[in-house]
Amino acid sequence: MSRIKGSNTKPEIAVRKLLHSMGFRFRLHDKTLPGKPDIVLRRHKRIIFVHGCFWHGHEVCTRSKRPSTNSQFWDDKISKNVLRDHQVATSLKQLGWQVLVIWQCEMRDKSGLARKIDGFMRSEER
């Protein structure tokens, strides 16, 4: 697991390129905010997390299938990740930030992803 990247992953870089092409400028991995968000758009008071389906327990995705060996370990680990994600999002919303989660499986549909990001950036409140 030490080889698993926590930041600057391929999906995260793809989202950053898309945001940049849409004209948005952002900061990365702001340590002053809860959860050290992947992408921070301070001017717009928006935060984007790019989650891997397996590691963050995306329930509707086939990539989130848990291993059959050592199942107790994986259930505990992924459940803790899901709980932490929820707590971080709640903390950020209480601080006045709007939060968007982009799942790894959503990267397949680039136009759908662009619409999702555009809708998030144009929305008043979430």
Side-chain angles (χ1 to χ4, degrees):
M1 282 196 304
S2 65
R3 294 183 184 164
I4 303 298
K5 292 171 64 171
S7 60
N8 299 320
T9 61
K10 287 181 184 179
E12 186 180 322
I13 291 169
V15 170
R16 292 181 346 208
K17 285 181 180 180
L18 181 60
L19 272 170
H20 197 269
S21 72
M22 295 170 81
F24 295 107
R25 301 300 177 255
F26 46 84
R27 297 282 178 209
L28 303 175
H29 314 290
D30 189 341
K31 296 175 186 173
T32 64
L33 294 171
K36 204 166 98 174
D38 297 326
I39 300 170
V40 180
L41 299 112
R42 286 201 176 273
R43 171 190 275 175
H44 304 281
K45 227 27 192 166
R46 306 271 197 291
I47 288 180
I48 299 176
F49 286 100
V50 182
H51 286 337
C53 295
F54 174 76
W55 296 105
H56 295 271
H58 192 203
E59 293 177 6
V60 298
C61 181
T62 57
R63 293 181 183 208
S64 67
K65 185 176 182 288
R66 297 190 182 168
S68 57
T69 58
N70 205 4
S71 60
Q72 184 63 45
F73 168 80
W74 288 109
D75 288 343
D76 290 345
K77 178 161 189 58
I78 294 171
S79 296
K80 287 177 186 174
N81 288 351
V82 170
L83 179 62
R84 186 186 64 240
D85 293 340
H86 178 71
Q87 291 170 340
V88 165
T90 301
S91 297
L92 288 167
K93 287 175 184 176
Q94 289 174 347
L95 292 172
W97 292 89
Q98 293 182 39
V99 179
L100 174 67
V101 173
I102 296 176
W103 294 98
Q104 178 184 3
C105 62
E106 293 175 321
M107 302 303 296
R108 293 182 212 142
D109 180 14
K110 297 291 184 192
S111 62
L113 180 61
R115 284 192 304 273
K116 181 176 182 174
I117 291 172
D118 187 54
F120 173 67
M121 296 306 292
R122 291 180 187 270
S123 69
E124 291 296 320
E125 281 291 321
R126 254 196 178 197

